[in-house]
């Protein structure tokens, strides 16, 4: 998920706040202390900007995924909990149970999965209509729709696991970008690995056993989709005004970049939903907050309950930690956020970014403590040295590029820089092009990195862009990469689920097949050894995948394909 944060941990934490807060008067409180929830009131959320997408097929940020928890259902999901361990366990949602060999839900070869659906889960249509197996198939098919604005967030999860999905998506990519053509292809072409045996039984056939398949089905991408969506372009303005719900809340108003309102869904039956308590009567999201301080002031004044796309100010975190304020929650997460990315496509300086010694020089240059301080200090931001963060399968506490107290080593940087320049036949290195986001802490991160690189003789020229353009237009643009419009970038990444999540960290960031318009392998690292390890790990059970993901991590770091900065803990106030 990126910052373009697609963090399950953060989403689950926000989901807990959204759906598990006790109501008091006209609004709710954000206390993390124990108490008896009471129904009623309105949860008032304030944020900076609009969600990236409302359509579940394409929504791929913390804000989108957190809101989706309120009005969509998945076959499998996670409990809303402040306990990261409890909130990381896959549980049944719209499915009746977790398929296993013991209950007959998994075939002997591990490739056939039978999912039974809960009766009584309904769309808020008039009259209310049951969500059936065909709706779940439609939802997954839509993940590889060809629309330029509503394309799926990560089709590779499904093309790599479900038999016939890759071929279906290849054909889908050739369809004209109209609602009628998209619906016709989707409805007239089947995926061999997805069969609605009856209205309440889904059968998946996998290309190979996948220990993380239930995590993949727990992604909002795999939400059910009603037939009514066939009338609209995916996530287009018309569809955004006609969203249907099978969760406890329904969208009652959507005003782009201004407001999203939710009311209770009259078709929702609490007896069919083991995960969502739906204590509040309504949720309002007011957009356009200009700073973290402005958001915090509203929360402090009681005019808002929750701000969720501005991080709490560092001073607020420090004050609340010092006073042991129970309203401060600090949540773990499988993230590397932010981190430094190299453009391997760049032709600049005889393809300087393709030289391993120049990349290794930059590894040694970075003062990770300075970056941690920008985000609130070392107590909630831990310097890391691997692709895979702590708490994820394949993590090994290793450091190929140690520096004194993680504060950088200009001497080693200069030595490796000189070696790399000699190999490239360069007497001087032209300023590297650094692309960064113009919001939140990112300008400060850029300044920190700029100073670190200057200390060892590397200059940069910088260009700023908005977060939506950064992830939506610039970094995925292969032409921009090949033209050398950037050499360095500073995105962020949160795994889409905890635990056995190599497919959600290593594979999307460094798999060769993730280079391109819908991928997040920005700059296109392509290494046969890495690709082989990814394929082996994805097919292996978790007990064996651990070592394979660790080997992939070691390979990527040996080649200095990224510079990890830190693992963030997420403070919510």
């Amino acid at each position: 998920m990126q910052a373009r944060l697609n963090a399950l941990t953060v989403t689950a934490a926000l989901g807990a706040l959204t759906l598990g807060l006790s109501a008091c008067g006209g609004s709710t409180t954000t206390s993390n202390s124990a108490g008896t929830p009471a129904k009623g009131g309105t949860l008032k959320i304030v944020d900076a900007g609009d969600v990236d997408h409302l359509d579940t097929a394409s929504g791929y940020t913390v804000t989108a995924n957190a809101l989706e928890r309120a009005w969509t259902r998945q076959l499998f999901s996670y409990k809303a909990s402040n306990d990261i361990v409890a909130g990381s366990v896959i549980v049944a949602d719209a499915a009746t149970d977790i398929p296993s060999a013991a209950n007959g839900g998994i075939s002997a070869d591990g490739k056939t999965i039978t999912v039974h659906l809960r009766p009584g889960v309904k769309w808020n249509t008039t009259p209310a209509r049951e969500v059936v197996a065909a709706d779940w198939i439609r939802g997954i098919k839509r993940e590889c729709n060809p629309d330029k604005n509503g394309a799926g967030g990560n089709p590779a999860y499904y093309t790599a696991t479900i038999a016939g999905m890759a071929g279906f998506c290849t054909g889908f990519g050739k369809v004209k970008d109209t609602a009628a053509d998209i619906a016709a292809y989707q409805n007239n072409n089947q995926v061999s690995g997805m069969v609605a045996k009856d209205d309440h039984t889904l059968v998946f056939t996998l290309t190979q056993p996948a220990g993380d398949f239930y995590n993949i089905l727990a992604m909002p991408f795999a939400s059910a989709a009603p037939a009514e969506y066939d009338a609209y372009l995916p996530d287009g303005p018309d569809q955004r005004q006609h969203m249907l719900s099978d969760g406890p809340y329904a969208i009652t108003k959507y005003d782009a970049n201004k407001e999203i309102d939710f009311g209770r869904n009259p078709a929702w039956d609490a007896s069919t939903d083991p995960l969502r308590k739906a204590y509040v009567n309504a949720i309002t999201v007011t957009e356009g907050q200009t700073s973290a301080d402005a958001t915090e002031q509203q929360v402090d004044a009681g005019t808002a309950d929750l701000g969720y796309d501005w991080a709490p100010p560092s001073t607020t975190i420090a004050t609340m930690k010092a006073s042991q304020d129970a309203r401060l929650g600090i949540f773990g997460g499988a993230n590397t956020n932010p981190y430094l990315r190299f453009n391997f496509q760049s032709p600049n300086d005889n393809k300087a970014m393709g030289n391993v010694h120049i990349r290794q020089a930059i590894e040694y240059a970075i003062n990770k403590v300075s970056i941690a301080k920008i985000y609130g200090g070392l107590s909630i931001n831990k310097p890391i040295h691997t692709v895979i963060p702590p708490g994820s399968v394949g993590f090994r506490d290793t450091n190929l590029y140690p520096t004194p107290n993680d504060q950088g080593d200009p001497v080693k940087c200069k030595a490796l820089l000189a070696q790399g320049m000699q190999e490239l036949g360069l007497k001087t290195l032209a300023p590297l092009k650094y692309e960064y986001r113009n919001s939140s802490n990112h300008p400060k991160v850029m300044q920190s990195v700029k100073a670190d690189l200057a200390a060892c003789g590397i200059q940069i020229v910088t260009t700023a862009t908005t977060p939506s353009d950064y992830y939506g237009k610039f970094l995925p643009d292969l032409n921009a990469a090949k033209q050398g419009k950037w050499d360095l970038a500073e995105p962020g990444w949160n795994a889409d689920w905890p635990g056995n999540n190599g497919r959600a960290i290593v594979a999307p960031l460094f798999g060769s097949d993730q280079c391109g318009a819908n991928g997040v392998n920005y700059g296109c690292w392509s290494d046969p050894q890495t690709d082989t390890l990814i394929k082996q790990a994805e097919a292996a059970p978790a007990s064996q995948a651990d070592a394979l993901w660790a080997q992939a991590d070691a390979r990527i770091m040996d080649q200095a394909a990224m510079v990890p900065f830190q693992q963030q803990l997420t403070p919510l106030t």
Side-chain angles (χ1 to χ4, degrees):
M1 253 198 160
Q2 32 168 280
R4 180 173 187 168
L5 299 176
N6 298 307
L8 170 91
T9 303
V10 179
T11 300
L14 289 171
L17 290 169
T18 302
L19 299 177
L21 292 173
S22 59
C24 179
S27 63
T28 61
T29 64
T30 55
S31 173
N32 288 311
S33 56
T36 302
K39 285 186 175 292
T42 297
L43 175 65
K44 299 176 181 178
I45 301 173
V46 290
D47 69 348
D50 207 354
V51 294
D52 61 326
H53 299 281
L54 277 183
D55 194 323
T56 53
S58 44
Y60 205 6
T61 59
V62 165
T63 49
N65 290 171
L67 289 180
E68 285 167 344
R69 175 86 173 187
W71 61 278
T72 72
R73 301 282 297 272
Q74 289 75 49
L75 295 169
F76 311 105
S77 191
Y78 307 85
K79 293 180 180 179
S81 175
N82 288 342
D83 181 340
I84 187 63
V85 175
S88 298
V89 178
I90 281 282
V91 295
D93 185 351
T96 58
D97 52 21
I98 302 292
S100 66
N103 63 23
I106 302 179
S107 62
D109 64 1
K111 293 170 63 175
T112 302
I113 311 293
T114 301
V115 180
H116 299 285
L117 305 180
R118 294 181 191 274
V121 178
K122 295 181 179 180
W123 295 115
N124 63 327
T125 49
T126 304
R129 184 179 75 243
E130 194 159 36
V131 181
V132 296
D135 295 330
W136 296 98
I137 292 176
R138 179 183 297 106
I140 296 173
K141 281 181 174 180
R142 296 176 75 252
E143 178 61 6
C144 57
N145 79 80
D147 185 70
K148 60 184 178 181
N149 295 315
N154 198 334
Y157 283 153
Y158 307 94
T159 58
T161 54
I162 299 174
M165 188 72 176
F168 173 85
C169 289
T170 297
F172 214 166
K174 301 174 183 178
V175 170
K176 289 176 63 177
D177 190 6
T178 70
D181 285 288
I182 288 172
Y185 180 87
Q186 173 187 285
N187 296 329
N188 295 328
N189 293 272
Q190 305 309 312
V191 177
S192 61
M194 294 193 294
V195 175
K197 188 175 179 180
D198 54 49
D199 280 353
H200 295 97
T201 310
L202 271 169
V203 179
F204 293 95
T205 303
L206 307 186
T207 56
Q208 60 189 14
D212 55 5
F213 188 60
Y214 300 149
N215 301 94
I216 291 171
L217 292 181
M219 291 295 297
F221 300 143
S223 301
E228 285 82 352
Y229 286 2
D230 288 357
Y232 312 109
L233 281 174
D235 203 50
D238 291 338
Q239 186 198 353
R240 288 192 179 202
Q241 296 301 325
H242 296 89
M243 304 304 297
L244 292 177
S245 169
D246 57 355
Y249 300 97
I251 298 174
T252 57
K253 180 180 180 180
Y254 172 73
D255 191 352
N257 297 303
K258 294 181 180 179
E259 181 180 357
I260 310 175
D261 294 343
F262 297 82
R264 289 195 180 277
N265 175 7
W268 179 74
D269 182 347
S271 68
T272 72
D273 194 335
L275 301 180
R276 299 162 184 81
K277 302 304 180 184
Y279 293 118
V280 300
N281 287 334
I283 303 166
T284 64
V285 182
T286 303
E287 299 168 349
Q289 311 310 308
T290 57
S291 69
D293 289 329
T295 298
E296 197 73 12
Q297 287 167 8
Q298 293 185 61
V299 174
D300 288 343
T303 57
D305 302 304
L306 178 67
Y308 76 158
D309 66 352
W310 280 105
S314 299
T315 52
T316 299
I317 297 169
T319 299
M320 295 181 78
K321 280 178 64 69
S323 64
Q324 298 183 334
D325 194 320
R327 294 173 298 171
L328 174 66
I330 298 178
F331 301 90
N335 65 68
T336 174
N337 186 43
Y339 68 98
L340 197 64
R341 192 85 204 197
F342 300 103
N343 179 9
F344 293 93
Q345 301 289 304
S346 175
N348 301 332
D349 272 326
N350 289 347
K351 299 184 178 180
M353 292 298 90
N355 183 275
V356 67
H357 293 117
I358 289 180
R359 298 196 304 271
Q360 289 174 339
I362 294 173
E363 296 274 2
Y364 280 111
I366 302 301
N367 184 333
K368 299 181 181 183
V369 173
S370 291
I371 294 172
K373 289 179 179 178
I374 291 170
Y375 284 87
L378 290 170
S379 65
I380 57 172
N381 301 284
K382 306 297 184 184
I384 58 174
H385 315 97
T386 54
V387 176
I388 301 172
S392 299
V393 67
F395 172 72
R396 302 289 188 272
D397 191 8
T398 58
N399 186 357
L400 295 182
Y401 309 102
T403 69
N405 299 315
D406 281 313
Q407 293 179 309
D409 190 333
V411 174
K412 287 186 177 179
C413 174
K414 289 177 180 178
L416 284 162
L417 177 63
Q419 184 177 349
M421 289 172 60
Q422 183 179 20
E423 291 166 351
L424 293 173
L426 299 174
K427 292 184 178 180
T428 59
L429 186 69
L432 301 178
K433 298 177 181 179
Y434 185 107
E435 188 81 11
Y436 69 100
R437 288 163 280 175
N438 63 0
S439 64
S440 190
N441 290 319
H442 304 296
K444 293 180 180 178
V445 173
M446 179 274 292
Q447 291 291 346
S448 181
V449 172
K450 184 176 182 178
D452 293 343
L453 295 179
C456 71
I458 301 173
Q459 304 300 318
I460 63 173
V461 291
T462 62
T463 304
T465 189
T466 64
S468 58
D469 283 350
Y470 195 70
Y471 287 120
K473 297 179 180 179
F474 192 83
L475 288 180
D477 186 344
L478 270 180
N479 288 329
K482 291 178 179 178
Q483 292 167 14
K485 291 186 177 181
W486 65 279
D487 299 300
L488 301 171
E490 174 245 311
W493 187 258
N494 278 260
D496 288 329
W497 59 84
N500 185 20
N501 55 11
R503 194 193 299 268
I505 301 176
V506 180
L509 295 181
F510 296 103
S512 296
D513 60 351
Q514 288 290 310
C515 169
N518 287 324
V520 293
N521 181 357
Y522 306 128
C524 297
W525 163 259
S526 182
D527 175 57
Q529 185 173 331
T530 301
D531 289 339
T532 297
L533 288 166
I534 288 173
K535 290 179 180 179
Q536 291 174 344
E538 288 178 343
S543 58
Q544 298 174 23
D546 179 77
L548 292 164
W549 290 124
Q551 290 176 48
D553 188 315
R555 169 65 180 175
I556 294 165
M557 290 309 304
D558 176 70
Q559 295 298 300
M562 69 173 282
V563 182
F565 291 163
Q566 63 185 16
Q567 179 188 36
Q568 286 185 5
L569 302 182
T570 302
L572 298 176
T573 61

